[in-house]
Amino acid sequence: MKGFTLEQMTDFTDFTRGGDLTEFLKQTNNVFNMNNCRSHPVRVSPDAQHIHAFLQKPKRGLVTFDRIQRVAVAQSPSYMDTGSALSIPIVELLYLDSGSKDSAALVAVILENGKVEFWKYVERKAGWDLLQTSDLCNSTSAKVVSVCSSGKFIIWCEERPASESASVFSAARNNFRYCICKRTYEREERAVRLGGVKTPLHNSPCYRVLAAREDVYLLPDNQEAAPGNGSKFFLIWSPKQDRMTISTVCKGALLSKTLHSTSKDSDYKTLISECIGMLATISPPEICSVAPTSCGGLLLVLSSGCISLLQSDGVLRQIYTLALSCPLDCSKHISMQIYGSTLACIVYRTLYLVDTSTGRLLENIALKTDGMLFLNSSEKNDIHFLSSTGMYVVKESGVDPTSKQLGRSDTAKPDAVLVEAVFEEACRYYQRRSLSSTQLTVEKLKSGGMFQAPIALSSILGVYMKTKKASELPQGGGGYSKLLASLGAELESLMALEQLKASVVSASDRKLSVSCETLVGQEVNRLLFSDLDRDNLLYLNVIFKTFPRESWQALQASLQLGSNGEGFLTAKAAPEVWKTVLSPVQAAPAPLSSGQQQASSNGAAPVFELICRSLFTFQPKWLPRFVELAQQQAGASSWNYGGKESPESVPLYKRALCVLPREGQAQELQVELLLCSQRPNAVMQAMRILLELRRWERVAEVAQRFSQQSPLLNKEIFTTLLCEVSQHRDLDPYLDLLWTLCPEDMTVTSILNIVLKSLPLCGREPGPFRTDRSQMSIGMLKPLLIKVLQRETKPSQRYADILQSPSFPPPTPPRQPRSVTEPAMATASPPLSSISSSVNDTSVDEGCSSPHHENK
């Protein structure tokens, strides 16, 4: 971390009525209300030369305190005081033309009744002059509830009385009695000229308007909560373009519309009508505190403790998470602002300094009194805050080399960087696995004594760095000698990676590409060999998007991609890498058609899709073969990849199809991906694409290749090709192949029905004979019909033996008369000669020969 100190700019002794200002800030807690109350008690001018205080009790009024520039004129200054008994409340004080040379010279004081007072500061007499008082609203009965300025516009939310819209208002309609208005202003020498009033949004709930550069943020007012779903979203409005964006904390931007004063889009209910269904289903966290920033965004403190930056496009970026011990229930004790790349946040009497690019806590400073942050136009990157003891600026003190951020300085010590990274990673690791809802911080992790793993690892890194300088490991009784020896390779790799990251910051343009290639290669290889969680998957997506060519080179090294002697792709990746590549898609949607993108639930593409996209970009011919290798690994490996297909999972070939561009650009590659799956439906889809492309030779090749896969697929291929043959003569050279594919169960009737149904519809010629040679003729079908007829008329050989065998049981042979003296066995066993003679005497003409005789 960097070292920071507080430097006092003033103790209010150089301000007019400085003692009264100090007493005012000490007596009340007004300092903290500037971000959250409807009337802001304290305002500081952009040049920090003027402080304005709104008095509420016991008397209402406005008091100004100016920095004394010259002692001679300080004796009788003229103040911009509105009186000690002002009957009309002050809504806001705006500094107009704050970006000009006279940053605090023109001030507009807006009253609740729609009046506005324009004051000008005159340096020569060190006092304020009232230029004019004007009506901001068209209606004298209107009531201003919130106001801000953006560019040359004054924007406000006003309450319209019920009498202007309807005589009787229901309770529901009374909630929509507000309007958002804008008005241009132009500064002149002794006056301010106001433009016409325009109302871009009618019949809306009460909104609090906050300006940040060119955009205006409309947040539901906490004191008058928006009815129904109105408190679940906020509006982002660009006054110059008259464009309104509906956004939520949890879903981001939902809808963006351009408003037209003459159309119904300016009505609040019409504007949000398209989002009513989605708004009813979401439950966003509560917004506890807000603060506009100089960078054009809006800082939000959510009920979960997260400090986030709302950008003008509706994107909410989380910067830092406060510990739950912070008093988030009392939002008036929070003050925030962004200075350059540093977020400053005061929570009670603690000042937090956070790096907005990394979310890392730079330092937290304990304050003696309450404080309120403000911007100084001359020193926008310096942190300024106001307290009851004076104005302060946060200065960077002597830099502690052991606590610098990674990549911020070339003199940063790698061991300190590694130790800090270990604790931050361990903090996230334990928080995900903790059953407690208590937020775990790095400070608690270091001081708690419960988590020994990061402490031990940090000690190991410290000892390793010290021994590395001595160019040898400790010998003998060193407590880390064996441990360092076993972890030497991992520690060396970790150190090389961190040193490479540091060298990228100071590398020249010539060496930057080489360093980036090495760094991306190491990061991709490390991620592919690990179990990817949500954060690492998002990180890998960013690497592939930012460094596409370097990521492709890293993939070739990690997967060991190459081609064999026949030109086919080979991959010799380790099982751990295949496990990461084939990991299932979390919360994957239903199977998508080609040309659509598939991503996991957090918006990041899975690893398999990232690799397929890189293959398609740099080596598209390898993509089908890679899908084949992935299918083999998913089906044959003993690893539990999670890639085995189930009814709910998406096949790998369909996931690969999702990375291809829209139809008509990569159809040849789409055909190869469909065929490599070897699925019947995919094969038929590929054949239909080839038929549309009129690739007849390729059609014949695919038909011959996949007809042997299954009888059902063979029949589908034959039927499809027969329908195609019926429509034109382009497949005539391949008719012999087609007739060989005819299934055995296909009959002449079914063939003729298919042909007749597939014939193209065309106008008939008037004569009895047609001369259109592009149509199918009986002569073309003759070989096929003859083949099928022969198969139908030929007796089936399956039951031939049964049909030609003698009847069962065989007939009883005739009995021979015997004498009384012949033994009984003689009739049962006649002599062999008599049997043979009886067989020889049998005539072929008397009956059909038995199969036994034919065989002999």
Side-chain angles (χ1 to χ4, degrees):
M1 301 179 192
K2 298 180 181 180
F4 296 90
T5 58
L6 300 181
E7 180 180 325
Q8 189 177 36
M9 298 171 57
T10 177
D11 58 355
F12 302 135
T13 56
D14 56 345
F15 276 75
T16 58
R17 299 182 293 190
D20 296 339
L21 175 59
T22 302
E23 190 66 23
F24 171 77
L25 296 176
K26 284 183 179 179
Q27 287 180 355
T28 62
N29 215 6
N30 291 331
V31 176
F32 291 104
N33 295 330
M34 69 92 54
N35 287 320
N36 302 280
C37 288
R38 179 174 300 179
S39 58
H40 301 168
V42 178
R43 299 288 284 171
V44 182
S45 65
D47 59 356
Q49 301 297 313
H50 314 278
I51 299 176
H52 307 276
F54 297 98
L55 302 179
Q56 301 292 340
K57 295 179 181 181
K59 296 180 180 181
R60 182 182 296 137
L62 173 65
V63 180
T64 179
F65 307 91
D66 306 311
R67 189 186 291 269
I68 302 173
Q69 301 294 338
R70 292 178 296 175
V71 179
V73 299
Q75 298 176 358
S76 58
S78 58
Y79 303 113
M80 192 184 69
D81 295 350
T82 59
S84 59
L86 189 65
S87 60
I88 302 173
I90 298 176
V91 178
E92 180 62 282
L93 184 144
L94 302 177
Y95 293 94
L96 305 180
D97 292 339
S98 59
S100 63
K101 183 178 179 180
D102 301 327
S103 59
L106 183 62
V107 172
V109 180
I110 290 87
L111 305 180
E112 192 179 67
N113 63 351
K115 298 286 185 178
V116 54
E117 297 179 356
F118 292 99
W119 293 76
K120 181 181 179 181
Y121 183 75
V122 183
E123 292 186 3
R124 60 181 177 82
K125 66 176 184 179
W128 295 86
D129 286 345
L130 178 62
L131 297 182
Q132 69 186 56
T133 300
S134 304
D135 291 323
L136 186 65
C137 306
N138 282 336
S139 175
T140 57
S141 58
K143 178 181 176 182
V144 178
V145 296
S146 178
V147 64
C148 67
S149 64
S150 175
K152 290 293 183 179
F153 291 96
I154 299 178
I155 299 101
W156 71 94
C157 177
E158 69 175 43
E159 180 183 357
R160 297 285 178 87
S163 59
E164 289 190 3
S165 301
S167 57
V168 179
F169 265 68
S170 63
R173 295 187 63 184
N174 279 332
N175 293 324
F176 300 95
R177 64 184 185 274
Y178 298 88
C179 295
I180 306 299
C181 306
K182 70 175 181 178
R183 196 169 188 175
T184 60
Y185 70 90
E186 184 177 353
R187 179 179 177 179
E188 297 178 349
E189 181 64 24
R190 293 293 301 173
V192 178
R193 185 169 58 186
L194 296 176
V197 178
K198 295 183 179 180
T199 307
L201 194 62
H202 297 270
N203 304 322
S204 71
C206 183
Y207 274 111
R208 180 183 174 194
V209 292
L210 296 171
R213 279 196 177 180
E214 302 296 330
D215 298 298
V216 178
Y217 298 85
L218 283 68
L219 278 73
D221 194 286
N222 292 333
Q223 299 184 10
E224 295 191 28
N229 297 322
S231 60
K232 296 184 178 181
F233 65 94
F234 46 85
L235 304 177
I236 305 175
W237 175 38
S238 176
K240 287 186 177 181
Q241 302 175 356
D242 264 348
R243 189 165 189 84
M244 193 78 71
T245 301
I246 303 176
S247 184
T248 64
V249 174
C250 55
K251 295 293 184 181
L254 301 181
L255 181 66
S256 183
K257 278 188 176 182
T258 300
L259 303 180
H260 302 283
S261 57
T262 58
S263 67
K264 295 183 179 179
D265 290 341
S266 60
D267 185 75
Y268 174 80
K269 295 180 180 178
T270 305
L271 176 67
I272 67 170
S273 60
E274 299 181 19
C275 304
I276 292 296
M278 180 174 292
L279 293 174
T281 60
I282 62 175
S283 298
E286 181 184 354
I287 300 176
C288 297
S289 182
V290 297
T293 65
S294 60
C295 62
L298 190 69
L299 285 172
L300 305 177
V301 178
L302 306 181
S303 57
S304 59
C306 295
I307 300 179
S308 303
L309 177 63
L310 175 63
Q311 301 174 166
S312 59
D313 54 359
V315 176
L316 192 69
R317 184 168 69 89
Q318 180 177 342
I319 299 179
Y320 185 69
T321 302
L322 296 170
L324 292 183
S325 58
C326 295
L328 293 178
D329 56 336
C330 192
S331 59
K332 67 180 181 179
H333 294 282
I334 300 177
S335 179
M336 302 174 292
Q337 190 52 259
I338 292 181
Y339 303 87
S341 61
T342 303
L343 165 67
C345 178
I346 295 179
V347 181
Y348 267 122
R349 296 187 177 183
T350 302
L351 172 61
Y352 294 88
L353 303 178
V354 181
D355 187 353
T356 56
S357 59
T358 62
R360 181 173 300 174
L361 178 65
L362 301 178
E363 192 166 334
N364 48 0
I365 303 173
L367 305 178
K368 295 181 180 180
T369 59
D370 300 329
M372 180 194 76
L373 295 164
F374 66 92
L375 281 171
N376 191 328
S377 59
S378 60
E379 301 174 352
K380 292 184 178 181
N381 293 333
D382 292 340
I383 303 170
H384 295 77
F385 70 91
L386 174 73
S387 72
S388 59
T389 58
M391 287 184 180
Y392 294 85
V393 60
V394 180
K395 293 289 186 178
E396 184 178 351
S397 62
V399 179
D400 183 7
T402 63
S403 57
K404 281 202 172 186
Q405 287 181 273
L406 181 63
R408 295 284 177 174
S409 175
D410 298 335
T411 61
K413 290 187 177 181
D415 54 347
V417 172
L418 291 177
V419 169
E420 187 176 355
V422 164
F423 275 99
E424 290 182 353
E425 182 67 24
C427 189
R428 291 194 295 267
Y429 176 85
Y430 287 121
Q431 190 67 47
R432 286 197 303 265
R433 288 155 179 81
S434 176
L435 298 178
S436 175
S437 60
T438 303
Q439 183 71 25
L440 183 62
T441 62
V442 175
E443 290 77 10
K444 188 180 299 183
L445 190 65
K446 290 180 179 179
S447 60
M450 300 169 57
F451 309 98
Q452 299 300 321
I455 298 176
L457 183 54
S458 300
S459 301
I460 293 171
L461 290 172
V463 173
Y464 176 76
M465 292 300 301
K466 294 178 181 178
T467 55
K468 190 174 183 297
K469 295 178 181 178
S471 70
E472 62 180 3
L473 294 176
Q475 304 293 332
Y480 294 104
S481 58
K482 294 183 179 180
L483 187 59
L484 291 178
S486 60
L487 296 177
E490 288 78 6
L491 293 174
E492 187 67 29
S493 176
L494 181 61
M495 278 302 308
L497 180 60
E498 299 301 330
Q499 291 175 358
L500 181 60
K501 290 180 181 179
S503 66
V504 169
V505 179
S506 59
S508 61
D509 294 340
R510 185 182 60 174
K511 296 182 179 180
L512 184 60
S513 60
V514 179
S515 300
C516 286
E517 181 179 338
T518 306
L519 178 60
V520 170
Q522 293 185 13
E523 287 291 86
V524 171
N525 186 72
R526 178 182 65 85
L527 292 172
L528 291 180
F529 273 90
S530 62
D531 293 332
L532 291 180
D533 55 5
R534 177 182 179 273
D535 295 334
N536 284 333
L537 184 59
L538 286 171
Y539 176 42
L540 187 62
N541 275 258
V542 173
I543 292 177
F544 272 77
K545 183 179 180 180
T546 310
F547 306 99
R549 186 171 297 277
E550 290 81 0
S551 301
W552 164 242
Q553 296 174 355
L555 275 180
Q556 295 182 76
S558 300
L559 298 176
Q560 300 184 31
L561 299 179
S563 57
N564 55 13
E566 300 178 358
F568 292 104
L569 174 68
T570 60
K572 301 178 181 179
E576 295 86 351
V577 177
W578 279 117
K579 182 179 180 181
T580 304
V581 171
L582 299 176
S583 58
V585 183
Q586 296 181 357
L592 302 175
S593 60
S594 177
Q596 295 176 331
Q597 296 294 329
Q598 178 181 351
S600 55
S601 57
N602 54 23
V607 181
F608 182 79
E609 277 78 354
L610 286 177
I611 297 176
C612 290
R613 191 175 298 146
S614 186
L615 280 166
F616 174 74
T617 303
F618 297 100
Q619 198 64 262
K621 293 183 179 180
W622 285 3
L623 183 55
R625 176 58 181 166
F626 173 76
V627 175
E628 287 185 8
L629 295 175
Q631 290 177 157
Q632 294 174 7
Q633 290 290 334
S637 179
S638 59
W639 281 77
N640 184 19
Y641 290 140
K644 292 190 176 182
E645 297 171 3
S646 63
E648 295 80 12
S649 64
V650 181
L652 292 178
Y653 82 94
K654 286 191 176 182
R655 294 174 60 180
L657 286 172
C658 293
V659 307
L660 298 183
R662 297 188 179 275
E663 297 179 1
Q665 299 181 11
Q667 289 185 330
E668 186 67 27
L669 196 57
Q670 182 182 358
V671 169
E672 295 296 332
L673 288 174
L674 291 170
L675 294 178
C676 75
S677 68
Q678 299 187 1
R679 292 170 171 254
N681 291 335
V683 171
M684 293 307 303
Q685 184 180 350
M687 180 163 289
R688 294 187 187 98
I689 295 176
L690 291 174
L691 290 173
E692 292 177 0
L693 298 176
R694 306 180 70 85
R695 299 284 300 277
W696 313 123
E697 183 177 358
R698 184 73 170 132
V699 168
E701 179 184 343
V702 172
Q704 188 175 11
R705 174 185 171 188
F706 290 94
S707 60
Q708 307 297 327
Q709 184 170 319
S710 68
L712 291 178
L713 180 59
N714 178 40
K715 186 174 182 179
E716 187 73 18
I717 292 174
F718 175 79
T719 304
T720 302
L721 294 181
L722 185 59
C723 294
E724 192 72 20
V725 168
S726 304
Q727 298 178 11
H728 53 77
R729 302 290 297 274
D730 295 328
L731 283 172
D732 285 4
Y734 310 99
L735 289 181
D736 293 339
L737 173 63
L738 175 59
W739 305 155
T740 59
L741 300 180
C742 181
E744 293 184 0
D745 58 346
M746 191 70 71
T747 63
V748 173
T749 304
S750 58
I751 291 175
L752 293 177
N753 286 334
I754 294 173
V755 171
L756 292 175
K757 291 180 181 179
S758 305
L759 287 175
L761 298 177
C762 59
R764 295 186 176 183
E765 296 181 359
F769 302 102
R770 298 183 60 187
T771 59
D772 188 2
R773 296 185 178 181
S774 64
Q775 302 297 329
M776 173 175 281
S777 63
I778 296 296
M780 295 172 56
L781 288 176
K782 185 176 180 181
L784 175 63
L785 297 177
I786 291 175
K787 177 182 177 181
V788 176
L789 283 173
Q790 289 177 351
R791 191 164 56 199
E792 291 180 356
T793 56
K794 184 179 179 180
S796 176
Q797 299 295 327
R798 182 178 302 178
Y799 305 105
D801 294 340
I802 298 177
L803 294 174
Q804 297 180 10
S805 63
S807 60
F808 183 82
T812 304
R815 293 180 177 272
Q816 297 287 341
R818 62 178 182 180
S819 61
V820 182
T821 59
E822 288 182 354
M825 291 299 294
T827 61
S829 300
L832 184 59
S833 59
S834 62
I835 296 176
S836 60
S837 61
S838 64
V839 173
N840 293 331
D841 293 340
T842 305
S843 174
V844 181
D845 297 334
E846 294 179 359
C848 296
S849 301
S850 66
H852 176 70
H853 294 150
E854 290 180 357
N855 291 336
K856 289 184 68 175

